[in-house]
Amino acid sequence: MKVIPGLEGIAVAETELSLVDGEKGHFVYRGHWVKELAVSRTFEDVVHLLWYGHLPSEEEGKRFRELLNAHRELPGHVKDILERIPSDADMMSVLRTGVSALTMEGDWPPSPEQGAAVLGAVPAIIAARAHRLRGTQLPPVRKDLSHTAHYLYLLTGENPAGAHVRALEAYLILTAEHGMNASTFAGRVVASAQSDLLSALTAAIGALKGPLHGGAPSEVEGMLEEIGTVERAEGWLRGKLEKGERLMGFGHRVYKTRDPRAEALRRVSEELAGENPWFRLALETEKIALGLLKEYKPGRRLYTNVEFYAAAVLRAVGLPKELYTPTFTLSRTAGWCAHIFDQARQNRIIRPQSLYNGPMPEER
Ligand code: SDX
């Protein structure tokens, strides 16, 4: 028996949910190319595909949207809790608390009805907190808007622009599910003990919060803000690499080629903000960073990952950077729930080993 750092290359489950092929850059949800789903289907359709195994018929789609919409109104006790958390609390900590404060029927096995209760509530938790910090009011819930459009409406109180809804919907679909990433694994470990869905999702949110995982897009924005101009990019990036620091938005445990989501999101952000100087800076910074990573980390095959252009899309639709990872949480809740349902269907408690290398006491 030997220790495999970070469980690299270790398969812990079989799944029909998604294929993440790091060599070929193939990315599939249940037999469908994700980049095609991102431009042709709604987020609700893709959640239905992940949870029920097929894209919904007209009637199934209508029923599923009603199931999700039934949970748009935030329960009063959750609103009270969100109100009382100190203003300087990190938005992901607030979201973790808000989700764990939800109540639901039944514990085991977790069900799509329970998943819908969480997925339906997450946009309102994020928006309620954003309004609390701004000193504005959460607008009244509406049932005539899609999940994506309603999230943007909750944040601003206005009807969102069609181009923003389409761009954000593509982002939500592209980031909904991604195999056995750290946060999904965390959720499955908790579920494997036959604990409840909210406990499993709370664990997953805690993992996604980390800057090595879902916390990266806001770091990408911070990096570009600090760089400021294309002329400063090489010096700034080289300085980071000289100190052995990581460039946010690059590298991936599985993708040893360009993350297909990065390419899809680059196109989406270019359509929305291609002429924006910030976007031009991002494009040039990416090129310089890739060259420097080859120079400083030869043979490590470090490419642009999803987070680099996720920052560009979320910025282009007008979200503040403290909402980037919470918005990632909104989409990944779909994938987490799908994996937790999977875990429950073929459950065996996840319990690896550890190698003891401490002293042994005398035999008695
Ligand atoms: C997400 O798993 C998923 O699927 C995640 C995700 C999803 O959808 O769920 O795709 C979402 O989390 C994307 C990744 C977002 N994170 C970042 O952008 C943070 C920066 N990237 C890294 O820290 C890193 O690339 C990871 C965490 C993403 C992957 O780390 P690994 O596979 O464990 O690689 P490693 O830490 O063992 O590094 C191997 C080498 C090291 O160099 P040496 O010490 O061997 O010389 O590559 C270097 C690292 O220093 N390296 C980097 C780097 N990433 C790895 N060097 C500079 N910049 C980087 N970004």
Side-chain angles (χ1 to χ4, degrees):
M1 182 163 54
K2 66 181 180 127
V3 172
I4 309 292
L7 295 182
E8 179 158 16
I10 302 290
V12 293
E14 279 195 71
T15 182
E16 294 174 359
L17 289 174
S18 65
L19 165 67
V20 178
D21 181 328
E23 292 301 329
K24 297 187 188 126
H26 287 169
F27 183 34
V28 172
Y29 290 165
R30 289 195 187 273
H32 296 264
W33 293 115
V34 180
K35 60 188 173 199
E36 289 175 7
L37 291 170
V39 295
S40 62
R41 301 305 294 238
T42 64
F43 178 65
E44 292 93 325
D45 286 351
V46 172
V47 178
H48 189 285
L49 171 67
L50 289 170
W51 290 7
Y52 297 96
H54 62 277
L55 286 167
S57 63
E58 186 93 7
E59 183 49 34
E60 288 170 324
K62 183 170 170 297
R63 270 206 311 272
F64 187 61
R65 284 191 296 276
E66 283 162 5
L67 178 66
L68 272 185
N69 294 357
H71 299 281
R72 287 183 168 179
E73 198 65 63
L74 212 47
H77 76 281
V78 177
K79 273 187 190 156
D80 295 345
I81 290 168
L82 297 176
E83 274 292 321
R84 297 175 61 82
I85 298 174
S87 305
D88 60 353
D90 175 280
M91 184 55 101
M92 281 299 284
S93 305
V94 172
L95 183 50
R96 189 191 61 221
T97 305
V99 166
S100 61
L102 292 170
T103 55
M104 56 181 50
E105 298 301 315
D107 266 353
W108 187 265
S111 65
E113 288 70 22
Q114 288 182 352
V118 184
L119 193 60
V122 167
I125 294 173
I126 299 169
R129 183 64 179 177
H131 282 287
R132 153 90 166 68
L133 296 177
R134 287 200 300 252
T136 51
Q137 286 303 310
L138 186 68
V141 159
R142 287 171 55 175
K143 297 288 171 87
D144 60 326
L145 295 173
S146 70
H147 193 74
T148 306
H150 193 252
Y151 174 50
L152 290 173
Y153 155 75
L154 284 178
L155 290 174
T156 63
E158 287 150 27
N159 272 331
H164 286 185
V165 176
R166 278 192 303 280
L168 186 59
E169 189 126 63
Y171 167 81
L172 295 179
I173 291 170
L174 285 159
T175 57
E177 150 63 9
H178 205 244
M180 202 56 74
N181 57 83
S183 54
T184 297
F185 185 57
R188 288 190 70 143
V189 168
V190 172
S192 79
Q194 285 199 16
S195 184
D196 63 299
L197 180 67
L198 289 175
S199 299
L201 292 176
T202 303
I205 293 172
L208 190 75
K209 180 172 181 285
L212 294 189
H213 186 12
S218 46
E219 307 270 337
V220 169
E221 171 126 355
M223 171 177 78
L224 292 171
E225 277 165 2
E226 276 190 40
I227 290 173
T229 64
V230 174
E231 294 68 31
R232 283 167 40 87
E234 178 167 351
W236 191 93
L237 293 165
R238 204 176 275 281
K240 280 278 179 190
L241 293 169
E242 287 290 344
K243 286 184 280 184
E245 290 180 27
R246 287 147 186 269
L247 306 185
M248 292 293 131
F250 296 92
H252 199 277
R253 174 62 61 77
V254 176
Y255 287 122
K256 300 307 171 193
T257 180
R258 189 178 168 81
D259 185 330
R261 300 169 297 176
E263 182 48 32
L265 290 172
R266 187 193 60 74
R267 283 198 302 276
V268 168
S269 46
E270 187 150 40
E271 271 163 43
L272 260 189
E275 295 320 307
N276 181 316
W278 187 89
F279 182 77
R280 309 316 301 170
L281 173 63
L283 275 182
E284 292 308 314
T285 301
E286 179 195 13
K287 281 188 207 128
I288 297 166
L290 290 171
L292 291 174
L293 286 167
K294 277 202 178 68
E295 183 188 327
Y296 281 82
K297 299 288 174 182
R300 282 291 178 189
R301 299 197 292 171
L302 300 172
Y303 294 90
T304 316
N305 65 46
V306 62
E307 308 305 5
F308 190 82
Y309 284 103
V313 171
L314 297 175
R315 179 190 170 100
V317 302
L319 297 184
K321 68 178 176 189
E322 61 271 14
L323 293 191
Y324 290 1
T325 308
T327 304
F328 191 175
T329 305
L330 192 161
S331 65
R332 190 53 60 86
T333 295
W336 290 333
C337 286
H339 274 274
I340 290 162
F341 302 152
D342 245 15
Q343 183 68 36
R345 269 193 287 274
Q346 55 201 18
N347 190 39
R348 186 152 189 258
I349 193 166
I350 295 173
R351 200 280 186 214
Q353 290 267 17
S354 52
L355 284 183
Y356 177 68
N357 60 11
M360 274 306 284
E362 304 241 321
E363 290 289 342
R364 292 274 185 260

